[in-house]
Structures are given as C-alpha cells and as structure tokens.
Amino acid sequence: MPAQERVGYHVKRVEQELMALKHAGLKPSGLTVPQYTALALLSQNPGASAAALARLSLVTPQTMATILANLQAKGLIARRPNPNHLNVRSIELTDAGTKALKIADAAAVAIERELGDAFTDEERETLIALLGRCSTALHAQAADVNGGNAALAPFRGSESA
C-alpha cells in the first residue's frame, strides 16, 4: 500500500510538522517541546507526581524522569516531599519555570491557534472527532497485536481526550 493511501502516514507527517514548528517557536524560551508540555501540565496540576505527569504527557515514566531531571537542572521545577505519600515527590514550578512557561506558552498557543484557524468551528470539531475515532480503533486493535495492549498502556483513557 503506497504511503499516500495510509492514514498513519498522514497523521505522522502532520504530527511531525506540528512538533517541528513548535520546536522552532519554543527556542526563545530555552525549552524543548516535551519540557514545555511538562511545565504546562504542571501549571494545571500543581504538586503532581512524576508518574502523574508521565500519564498526562502521554510518555513513559522513564522519559518523564529525564525531562524532569533536565527541568530541575535548569531551576525550572522544585521537588518536595509529598505529605500524603512517603515515596512520592510533589513537583512545582519555580518562579523561573513560570517565566519560561509564559514565554513558551505564548509561542505554542499562537501556533495551535493559527492551525485551528485553518478550519471552521465545525471542521475543527469534526477533525477532533475523527482523530478520536482513530484512537478508539487503534485501542480496539491492540488485543489482536502481540504486545499491543502494553504498547498502548501509556495512552489508556486518552481516546476521548
């Protein structure tokens, strides 16, 4: 089957184009796209754990550990003991993290808005619904693929997000 006939090819191409444009747009903030994503989600979920941020970011805990180590080295986050869980550390934005996020968010939101503006409201809703159907179909296929359920485990619950 030629690439142009594959839905996955088109989804991947557009995702890569979006990430490349965001990467360029985020350069002035000093953040990578994954770092920006972690900070943005942390701003919406103050005190979240690394495991929670990994789930929200749709990455593995190992990947999130690397992202958070880099953010902490830059002084953009602080980890504190969680008063409710002995082995869990709560993560919070520092003042520097809040400033970096503000710069990065302005660039990322502008890119997302301009992309969204390429569609009417109805088209945008339809696109989101169609992508949701793609996700649902992939999750339904997972049981039929050796290792499929494990491969999609980080994305459980994101089908309707």
Side-chain angles (χ1 to χ4, degrees):
M1 171 186 289
Q4 291 73 17
E5 293 177 16
R6 296 174 185 242
V7 172
Y9 170 80
H10 294 284
V11 170
K12 181 67 173 176
R13 180 180 46 81
V14 171
E15 187 264 346
Q16 290 293 302
E17 291 167 348
L18 176 59
M19 291 304 104
L21 191 56
K22 278 188 176 181
H23 177 75
L26 293 177
K27 277 194 182 217
S29 72
L31 297 174
T32 65
V33 173
Q35 290 171 344
Y36 161 70
T37 300
L39 290 182
L41 289 168
L42 190 56
S43 75
Q44 297 168 14
N45 301 276
S49 67
L53 286 174
R55 283 189 297 276
L56 291 167
S57 298
L58 306 176
V59 299
T60 64
Q62 297 84 351
T63 297
M64 184 53 65
T66 300
I67 293 167
L68 293 174
N70 290 330
L71 290 171
Q72 189 169 14
K74 291 180 176 187
L76 302 179
I77 61 165
R79 299 182 203 216
R80 295 180 173 67
N82 184 310
N84 301 318
H85 302 284
L86 198 55
N87 296 326
V88 175
R89 310 266 302 171
S90 296
I91 305 164
E92 297 177 6
L93 290 173
T94 62
D95 289 343
T98 300
K99 288 176 187 172
L101 176 58
K102 185 176 180 180
I103 294 166
D105 201 44
V109 167
I111 290 166
E112 290 277 354
R113 280 200 177 124
E114 194 161 335
L115 175 60
D117 288 346
F119 303 95
T120 66
D121 290 346
E122 184 177 324
E123 288 171 333
R124 193 170 37 260
E125 290 173 15
T126 299
L127 176 60
I128 291 168
L130 290 171
L131 290 170
R133 280 179 39 198
C134 287
S135 180
T136 299
L138 291 170
H139 283 266
Q141 290 179 47
D144 298 331
V145 175
N146 187 21
N149 284 326
L152 294 185
F155 310 104
R156 292 278 177 243
S158 66
E159 301 94 314
S160 61

